[in-house]
Amino acid sequence: MRPTPESHALTKPLVISIDAMGGDHGPPVVVPGVARACERLAGRDVRFLLHGDAARIEPELRRVETAACAAEVRHTASVVNMTDKPAYALRRSKGSSLWNAIESVKSGEADAVVSAGNTGALMAISRLVLRMLGGMDRPAIVASWPTNRGYSAVLDVGANVDSDARQLVQFAIMGAAFHRAVHGAARPTVGLLNVGVEDMKGHEEVREAHKLLSEAGLDIDYRGFVEGDDIAKGTVDVVVTDGFTGNVALKTAEGTARFISGLLKETLTSSLWAKLGALSAAPSLRRMRDRIDPRSINGGPLLGLNGIVVKSHGGTDAVGFANALKVAADLARSDYAAEIAANMERLSRVTAPVQATAV
Amino acid sequence: MRPTPESHALTKPLVISIDAMGGDHGPPVVVPGVARACERLAGRDVRFLLHGDAARIEPELRRVETAACAAEVRHTASVVNMTDKPAYALRRSKGSSLWNAIESVKSGEADAVVSAGNTGALMAISRLVLRMLGGMDRPAIVASWPTNRGYSAVLDVGANVDSDARQLVQFAIMGAAFHRAVHGAARPTVGLLNVGVEDMKGHEEVREAHKLLSEAGLDIDYRGFVEGDDIAKGTVDVVVTDGFTGNVALKTAEGTARFISGLLKETLTSSLWAKLGALSAAPSLRRMRDRIDPRSINGGPLLGLNGIVVKSHGGTDAVGFANALKVAADLARSDYAAEIAANMERLSRVTAPVQATAV
């Protein structure tokens, strides 16, 4: 992991490395995103390394001058395509914008990397180049989920399709450190997603993870099982689940939100009276829309790696990309790696026998 | 299974057996629910057997006279509590309102049973008394999910915590028959819930089930993998998943809907202009609310049993309970059991080798 935030803040600016060619749009979104991030991070000394085709990045930098002052272009001739399989990308993408952006973190030149590109390739190359944090089995993708009480961290939402009890406990450790760094809970509460809240509920992995989280002596405020409807309620700050269930839950929630927003739109244009009503309530409705704007939660870190890696949604715009950059900066400025290391040390004291019974 | 709907309709009225003591409210909700169901099912010859404490049911029947004409009380002295464990209920609840309501189906006196009571006990007693449909491994609970295109059937949403490939295929067979019987698709399309749509995505169970559904020659319109956001889109009529994922998806969607409805309410009362807007749009907003009213989708059958068993939400009101009664009537009048049997016969021709490789 990079230097601790305290020492760091005194010695040199924060550097964020960007795969400028990633995502559906590349430089036309990335560069204005950098400009917005500069504004939002004003006062924090941050610089950006833009890896990619200089001939496409530089015209954008001339257009958006506020970005230019804080950005440096690192030319690369090749890119990883959105459709490349991870195994293919691993073999063939050395020297691409994505690979070099990750390499900047490995070399210590950058404190974090952000990409809106191919998720599978980002994960595979990050694992190879950066390696896992000490003791971690697999990375996890964390989502920031708007709730009645602010934001909750939900993980894993898609890095894995199966997770055993030990991995679920690791997700809990990473999720708590992430929430404190990015969403600011002093002592995040953690719940394990299940189909009921009684101890005997669920399949073997969640019951075993529940036992470990309850008994392993981790520095985590574990609150036991939660159910699907607890996520939006904000019952806990961190919701832990396997990547299959988490991915389905996240996409189901997105689908439900879109369905209801669609109904609302249809409703508020269905008659003259409804249209007048919508007009009258417009400022309030706009505030509501902002509250669930997917751009405001864009930026899903790949936790568990020996370096900070943040995935932006491929289709996002400059506002969303700037948010992903802010997530990366928050993580890079935090104690998150040290916190994870301390809990992993505690976990290692108890997991040897657990692994044996699980096999 | 009971007689086929055609012969049935000619010979005797449909009889629905009810655990009148089940749910948070018991007779004060069940009896008005029966009255509403009588209205909604007008023209269809339906009778109801109300199992439970006659001293509590009869005053309600005197209050709601429209229910009295179609209902018959079967006194029982005991009930299954909402908190009783299934194993306890299996041993101790013989002669209770729930047990006797299920027995009425077993004896052939009733065509379906509806209960708003303890789900675990309903499932355990139903399995013991009615047994599984030929070839079925486990029951599944199906949810009717409002979508952009009407309603989709999602199963399993909580009867099981683990499901192997063969069970997922059985869920597909049952879900398609259910959709046709209750939501009326002539040839329901079926999708398998996954974290991506490519063949190689997901864990072993879903990939194996995908192969079986693609190759087993079932009379099912199988469309391949779908993702969480496809549910509310209505991409397919039937969404198949294991009970853990399905339960989390359903509750997550409910939580999301409640979260957004809460925001909307807050929004439309946040200022004088917003309140005026809400007033002006009120009739349209009311229609929208009806569209996602949980009562309109109350009634989740336990599919796969040798008899029709419908679970009502414990906290529902008379409108919701009437809907559960209508679901039971629709299933009882349909060809659903014959359809399932035909597909189970096709499945049995191919699953012997599959089981061998899966073990």
Side-chain angles (χ1 to χ4, degrees), chain A residues 1-4 105 111-112 130 133 304-309 331-332 334-338 340-341:
Chain A
M1 201 85 247
R2 308 310 111 209
T4 63
V105 175
D111 302 286
L130 300 174
L133 262 181
L305 294 157
N306 193 23
I308 293 163
V309 179
L331 276 175
S334 77
D335 276 330
Y336 127 102
I340 290 177

Side-chain angles (χ1 to χ4, degrees), chain B residues 32-340:
Chain B
V34 165
R36 279 183 168 267
C38 286
E39 283 168 39
R40 283 189 66 187
L41 296 168
R44 303 206 230 168
D45 194 6
V46 183
R47 283 196 318 119
F48 301 91
L49 304 180
L50 303 180
H51 295 266
D53 183 354
R56 288 192 53 208
I57 300 170
E58 276 159 3
E60 297 296 333
L61 283 174
R62 282 194 291 274
R63 225 191 306 277
V64 191
E65 285 181 18
T66 44
C69 61
E72 192 177 313
V73 179
R74 297 290 169 90
H75 180 71
T76 63
S78 71
V79 299
V80 173
N81 293 313
M82 292 301 265
T83 52
D84 288 349
K85 296 265 181 284
Y88 177 89
L90 265 185
R91 287 194 314 272
R92 307 290 292 269
S93 70
K94 213 159 180 174
S96 66
S97 59
L98 177 59
W99 189 291
N100 288 6
I102 297 167
E103 271 287 348
S104 291
V105 175
K106 167 74 176 176
S107 71
E109 190 186 21
D111 302 286
V113 53
V114 177
S115 172
N118 181 324
T119 309
L122 175 64
M123 182 135 52
I125 301 171
S126 298
R127 283 187 72 176
L128 180 75
V129 171
L130 300 175
R131 311 234 165 241
M132 298 303 298
L133 262 181
M136 285 290 172
D137 294 324
R138 298 286 311 265
I141 300 177
V142 60
S144 292
W145 195 298
T147 74
N148 285 325
R149 298 179 51 246
Y151 293 97
S152 288
V154 180
L155 75 168
D156 175 27
V157 295
N160 308 280
V161 291
D162 277 312
S163 307
D164 63 18
R166 198 182 126 91
Q167 281 169 276
L168 291 171
V169 175
Q170 293 172 3
F171 297 169
I173 291 172
M174 300 192 280
F178 166 79
H179 195 288
R180 181 157 25 214
V182 173
H183 299 301
R187 190 169 162 74
T189 53
V190 177
L192 191 56
L193 194 58
N194 200 351
V195 296
V197 295
E198 303 88 1
D199 278 12
M200 53 160 213
K201 284 273 184 179
H203 49 59
E204 201 187 316
E205 287 78 14
V206 293
R207 281 184 282 127
E208 183 65 39
H210 174 63
K211 200 163 168 284
L212 263 175
L213 283 164
S214 307
E215 298 169 7
L218 302 174
D219 183 16
I220 272 186
D221 189 0
Y222 178 60
R223 300 292 177 95
F225 292 133
V226 295
E227 299 189 64
D229 52 340
D230 287 307
I231 308 177
K233 275 186 205 160
T235 305
V236 289
D237 296 315
V238 179
V239 177
V240 171
T241 188
D242 67 276
F244 190 92
T245 310
N247 185 276
V248 167
L250 180 64
K251 287 182 181 158
T252 301
E254 287 170 352
T256 306
R258 221 173 289 133
F259 172 66
I260 298 179
S261 303
L263 279 184
L264 184 60
K265 206 167 187 178
E266 207 183 290
T267 299
L268 294 179
T269 52
S270 63
S271 71
L272 184 62
W273 284 111
K275 280 180 198 164
L276 284 172
L279 203 65
S280 173
S284 304
L285 288 168
R286 215 170 298 125
R287 273 196 304 276
M288 170 178 161
R289 201 186 53 199
D290 290 347
R291 181 82 195 282
I292 50 173
D293 184 349
R295 297 179 302 177
S296 71
I297 49 170
N298 184 44
L302 260 63
L303 301 177
L305 293 157
N306 193 21
I308 293 163
V309 180
V310 175
K311 171 72 174 75
S312 160
H313 197 282
T316 198
D317 62 9
V319 175
F321 197 79
N323 200 70
L325 294 173
K326 183 175 178 301
V327 168
D330 286 344
L331 275 175
R333 288 281 193 221
S334 77
D335 276 331
Y336 126 103
E339 238 185 272
I340 290 178

